[in-house]
Amino acid sequence: MAATRPQRAPITSPAAATVFSTVLTQGPVSRVEVGRRTGLSSAAVTKAARPFIEAGYLEELTSEERTGPGAGRPANPLAIKADREFFLGVKITDDDLIGVVCDLRAQVRVARHHPLTSTAVPDVVAALTSLVADLITPYRDRAHCLGVAVSGDVDQTTGVVRYSPFLRWHDVPLGDLLAEATGLAVRLENDVKALTVAEQWFGEGVGVTSFALVTVGTGIGCGLVIGGRLVTGAHGVAGELGHVPVGDDQPCHCGGTGCVEAIASTSAIVARAGMPMAEAVARARSGDPAVRAVFAEAGHAIGLALAAMANLVGPERIVVSGEGVAAYDLFEEHVRKAFTAQAFGAVADCLLILRPLPFEEWARGAAAVSIQALFRH
Amino acid sequence: MAATRPQRAPITSPAAATVFSTVLTQGPVSRVEVGRRTGLSSAAVTKAARPFIEAGYLEELTSEERTGPGAGRPANPLAIKADREFFLGVKITDDDLIGVVCDLRAQVRVARHHPLTSTAVPDVVAALTSLVADLITPYRDRAHCLGVAVSGDVDQTTGVVRYSPFLRWHDVPLGDLLAEATGLAVRLENDVKALTVAEQWFGEGVGVTSFALVTVGTGIGCGLVIGGRLVTGAHGVAGELGHVPVGDDQPCHCGGTGCVEAIASTSAIVARAGMPMAEAVARARSGDPAVRAVFAEAGHAIGLALAAMANLVGPERIVVSGEGVAAYDLFEEHVRKAFTAQAFGAVADCLLILRPLPFEEWARGAAAVSIQALFRH
């Protein structure tokens, strides 16, 4: 039986994709409810679900009520069998790799760090291949896909890293290199966009047509989902919240002036406080007014930029995360105050969620991209 | 023949809507090309087009080549018969009404001003009804729809003006009042959104999936089209470019600080220059450095806000218009300079178009909304 069932999820039609993605992101859910949410008839839902049940990707939660093969009652909720397939995700930074194995619902099963001694392309490919080989061993027969997240300008379609400032890479065909080295189906994505995909499918973005995911840390990034779709920009650039000018004469590395990133990124805080980040956080927490002011200005700048973004596109929710938010006790009040003062009218109703970002979340985002890629065949 | 053909465009199916809107906004275009752009088969295009040809909404440009009823060759381009139906559009300001009659392609056939002596609801309804009666006379048998544009918060679905600061209206069921008074199908829209619809269907937005229309004048507004759809905001507010903070301590009427509108709106310029607008424009043109600086600051603020918006959503084009742009010789250089300095990476490739806005364009926007409403049955 196991030998004859399909290796991969049988997404063979638009209806199959719709039904499977609905159960994946919103299940357990009854066939009737799937029909209501997707506009498909109950018969179409039943027909579309059957191959997924047969292939082991979906199950009926009360299967003891089934009266014959494939004749499940419509009221039986459909649920994903999360361990039917596993997905690898790797985030590349300039000094390490973070790798995870996730199940179909993007739950992390195992996470591992791997230090990088070089960012030369062959060294990164070799290290990543070794990390993947290590991670995949217990899952080999049920893992076929690898998602990789990199900061910078990534062409998802061709699998090319066009430009990554932190890695100092230009036009690196990383997707092809990794596919050859690992034998897996590889999907590349910008790291902030990958986190946004994870949030859209498995987090605060489920059932929401517009939201923003903002990351605060080394850089300040933003993934925008509007009308249910990630905004990519006509010229390949969008979500550059870090380069929204918020009224300060601070020059930014981008050539602009007063950018949020020039005030609130980790390196900006370090420069303005005149000490390493850990020391700045400790001093601010112990009450040093000068250092507290640096965090207050950073929080104020972030709050203004969030309000600018929300006044323009009116998202339902904003999630602010990133390694910088580890110190969010120093930021949060100032972020919220500036946001509320500058939000126009009903924009103030936008739900603003601040939360820390465990580093493995970036790798989980990469895995989520490879789950989403199931639907792109 | 005229008596038996349908009164209205026979938009009876999604395919009919797709074919008719494609020819309306992109025609003349061959059936083959309509099929290519919409994904419909040639046979489906021919079938969908036939009722429109019979009802006089579409024609084949080389009709002499037709060999039998309804048997036009696929290569004959389809074109809209622009004078098959006419649409009224009215913009309401606090001291006058501007009314137009447009054809199916939103070309203005006649425009008329009507002073308002009161903004009390019954007075505006009476004045608008009289203006409409005047405008419609030569078009009565082929005009059934009226679009109305109002600044402020307008609920298009219910036809209620929820709040219009300039008119000091709260929760006015203007759509129902005007439908009863005029006997026409009435569609209400926010004025900036109405201009954006006109641009999307009949202007710079044709064939473009993302663009922004920005108006500079009494207020500073913005209509954003992303992924082919007007962004409306999860809480009913979006496109508030006027309330993007751009780094000045100027308090704004909205409660925020440093808003573009507090620096670059007509009233802000009048206040900062200390003289009426016409005088400020004349003095600046004659070289008065203090007044020129007021316009330069306004242009700079607008340019920064445009860059903030473009860095966030990456539109393909930005059209800046509005009555304030009548003085665009005083603004333009500063708008472009600030935009270019602050645009992040490839965002600088965004096409930035500045152009004056004849006042009747607002009314044309309202008419365009009523044309678009044909597709909302």
Side-chain angles (χ1 to χ4, degrees):
Chain A
M1 174 67 188
T4 60
R5 73 182 188 181
Q7 282 265 316
R8 306 298 310 280
I11 300 175
T12 53
S13 69
T18 301
V19 169
F20 186 52
S21 68
T22 301
V23 180
L24 175 63
T25 59
Q26 300 167 41
V29 56
S30 71
R31 288 183 174 85
V32 170
E33 185 59 23
V34 172
R36 203 188 59 77
R37 293 185 197 175
T38 61
L40 293 168
S41 70
S42 281
V45 173
T46 297
K47 186 177 167 216
R50 192 174 302 131
F52 291 96
I53 295 170
E54 288 168 359
Y57 281 87
L58 296 184
E59 63 180 338
E60 296 189 83
L61 283 189
T62 51
S63 55
E64 68 279 9
E65 290 182 33
R66 288 175 65 183
T67 55
R73 294 184 188 179
N76 293 355
L78 292 169
I80 203 82
K81 288 185 81 167
D83 58 359
R84 172 61 183 83
E85 187 171 343
F86 294 95
F87 298 81
L88 285 88
V90 177
K91 153 90 175 183
I92 307 176
T93 80
D94 58 354
D95 60 6
D96 70 350
L97 302 174
I98 304 106
V100 295
V101 176
C102 288
D103 65 21
L104 263 164
R105 301 211 57 165
Q107 296 168 100
V108 175
R109 297 298 183 98
V110 59
R112 200 153 297 168
H113 281 245
H114 191 301
L116 276 184
T117 50
S118 145
T119 58
V121 174
D123 296 337
V124 173
V125 169
L128 206 153
T129 304
S130 154
L131 173 63
V132 164
D134 188 20
L135 284 167
I136 206 172
T137 305
Y139 304 97
R140 180 164 293 283
D141 61 331
R142 280 181 287 163
H144 319 283
C145 301
L146 164 66
V148 176
V150 184
S151 75
D153 183 0
V154 174
D155 187 334
Q156 206 201 41
T157 318
T158 59
V160 170
V161 178
R162 282 191 292 230
Y163 177 50
S164 179
F166 293 114
L167 297 170
R168 287 172 299 280
W169 285 3
H170 285 272
D171 296 319
V172 174
L174 188 64
D176 285 349
L177 295 172
L178 290 174
E180 192 169 339
T182 64
L184 299 170
V186 178
R187 197 89 188 175
L188 246 60
E189 184 55 285
N190 164 276
D191 54 357
V192 177
K193 287 184 184 160
L195 272 185
T196 308
V197 165
E199 204 67 38
Q200 182 181 16
W201 280 49
F202 304 105
E204 292 290 344
V206 175
V208 167
T209 59
S210 67
F211 76 96
L213 177 95
V214 175
T215 60
V216 178
T218 314
I220 291 177
C222 175
L224 278 177
V225 170
I226 299 177
R229 300 178 66 174
L230 186 66
V231 177
T232 53
H235 303 281
V237 180
E240 289 295 345
L241 191 86
H243 302 284
V244 165
V246 290
D248 185 299
D249 292 336
Q250 195 72 34
C252 180
H253 64 84
C254 76
T257 306
C259 296
V260 187
E261 199 160 296
I263 302 165
S265 69
T266 303
S267 61
I269 290 172
V270 165
R272 288 157 86 96
M275 63 191 75
M277 190 66 171
E279 189 181 338
V281 170
R283 288 245 203 144
R285 284 189 180 144
S286 73
D288 182 323
V291 185
R292 288 187 74 82
V294 170
F295 283 100
E297 284 161 18
H300 181 75
I302 294 167
L304 286 184
L306 295 180
M309 180 265 284
N311 288 349
L312 286 167
V313 302
E316 194 165 332
R317 297 174 182 180
I318 301 174
V319 179
V320 182
S321 193
E323 62 275 20
V325 181
Y328 76 114
D329 53 309
L330 300 171
F331 280 115
E332 182 167 6
E333 172 197 348
H334 307 284
V335 172
R336 290 190 183 278
K337 202 169 147 190
F339 178 79
T340 304
Q342 196 65 37
F344 186 78
V347 170
D349 296 341
C350 174
L351 185 64
L352 183 57
I353 301 159
L354 271 82
R355 62 162 199 236
L357 182 71
F359 223 84
E360 71 200 38
E361 285 288 291
W362 291 103
R364 177 178 175 257
V369 167
S370 75
I371 297 172
Q372 194 191 44
L374 288 179
F375 297 86
R376 297 273 176 87
H377 292 306
Chain B
M1 175 69 190
T4 59
R5 73 183 188 180
Q7 281 264 317
R8 307 299 309 280
I11 301 174
T12 52
S13 70
T18 300
V19 169
F20 186 51
S21 68
T22 302
V23 180
L24 176 63
T25 59
Q26 299 168 40
V29 56
S30 71
R31 286 182 174 87
V32 171
E33 185 57 24
V34 171
R36 203 186 61 78
R37 294 185 196 174
T38 60
L40 293 170
S41 69
S42 280
V45 173
T46 297
K47 186 177 167 216
R50 191 174 302 131
F52 291 96
I53 293 171
E54 288 167 359
Y57 280 86
L58 295 183
E59 62 180 337
E60 297 189 81
L61 281 191
T62 51
S63 55
E64 68 280 7
E65 289 181 34
R66 289 173 64 184
T67 55
R73 295 182 186 178
N76 293 354
L78 291 169
I80 202 82
K81 288 185 79 167
D83 58 358
R84 173 60 184 84
E85 187 170 342
F86 295 95
F87 298 81
L88 286 88
V90 177
K91 153 90 174 184
I92 307 177
T93 80
D94 59 354
D95 61 4
D96 69 350
L97 303 174
I98 304 105
V100 295
V101 177
C102 288
D103 64 23
L104 264 164
R105 300 212 58 165
Q107 296 169 100
V108 174
R109 298 298 185 99
V110 57
R112 201 155 294 170
H113 280 246
H114 191 302
L116 276 183
T117 50
S118 145
T119 58
V121 175
D123 296 337
V124 172
V125 170
L128 205 154
T129 305
S130 155
L131 173 62
V132 163
D134 189 19
L135 283 167
I136 206 174
T137 304
Y139 304 95
R140 180 163 293 283
D141 60 331
R142 280 180 288 166
H144 319 284
C145 300
L146 166 66
V148 177
V150 185
S151 75
D153 183 1
V154 173
D155 187 334
Q156 207 202 42
T157 318
T158 59
V160 169
V161 178
R162 283 192 291 231
Y163 177 50
S164 179
F166 293 113
L167 297 170
R168 288 172 298 279
W169 285 4
H170 286 272
D171 297 320
V172 174
L174 188 65
D176 285 349
L177 295 171
L178 289 175
E180 193 171 336
T182 64
L184 299 171
V186 178
R187 199 86 189 176
L188 246 60
E189 185 53 286
N190 165 275
D191 54 356
V192 177
K193 288 184 183 158
L195 272 185
T196 308
V197 165
E199 204 67 37
Q200 183 181 15
W201 282 48
F202 304 106
E204 293 290 344
V206 174
V208 168
T209 59
S210 68
F211 75 95
L213 178 93
V214 175
T215 60
V216 177
T218 313
I220 292 177
C222 175
L224 278 178
V225 170
I226 299 176
R229 299 178 66 174
L230 187 66
V231 177
T232 53
H235 303 282
V237 180
E240 289 294 346
L241 190 85
H243 302 285
V244 165
V246 289
D248 186 299
D249 292 336
Q250 195 72 33
C252 180
H253 63 85
C254 75
T257 306
C259 296
V260 188
E261 198 159 297
I263 302 166
S265 70
T266 303
S267 61
I269 290 172
V270 165
R272 288 157 87 95
M275 63 191 77
M277 191 63 171
E279 190 182 336
V281 171
R283 287 242 206 150
R285 284 188 180 146
S286 72
D288 182 322
V291 184
R292 288 187 73 83
V294 170
F295 283 100
E297 285 161 16
H300 181 74
I302 293 167
L304 287 183
L306 295 180
M309 179 265 285
N311 288 349
L312 286 166
V313 301
E316 193 166 332
R317 297 175 182 180
I318 302 173
V319 179
V320 182
S321 191
E323 62 275 20
V325 182
Y328 76 112
D329 53 309
L330 300 170
F331 280 114
E332 183 167 5
E333 172 198 348
H334 307 284
V335 172
R336 291 191 183 277
K337 202 170 147 190
F339 178 80
T340 304
Q342 197 64 37
F344 186 78
V347 170
D349 296 340
C350 174
L351 185 64
L352 182 57
I353 301 159
L354 272 82
R355 62 162 197 234
L357 182 71
F359 222 84
E360 71 198 40
E361 286 287 292
W362 291 103
R364 176 177 175 255
V369 167
S370 74
I371 297 171
Q372 195 190 42
L374 288 178
F375 297 87
R376 297 272 175 88
H377 290 304

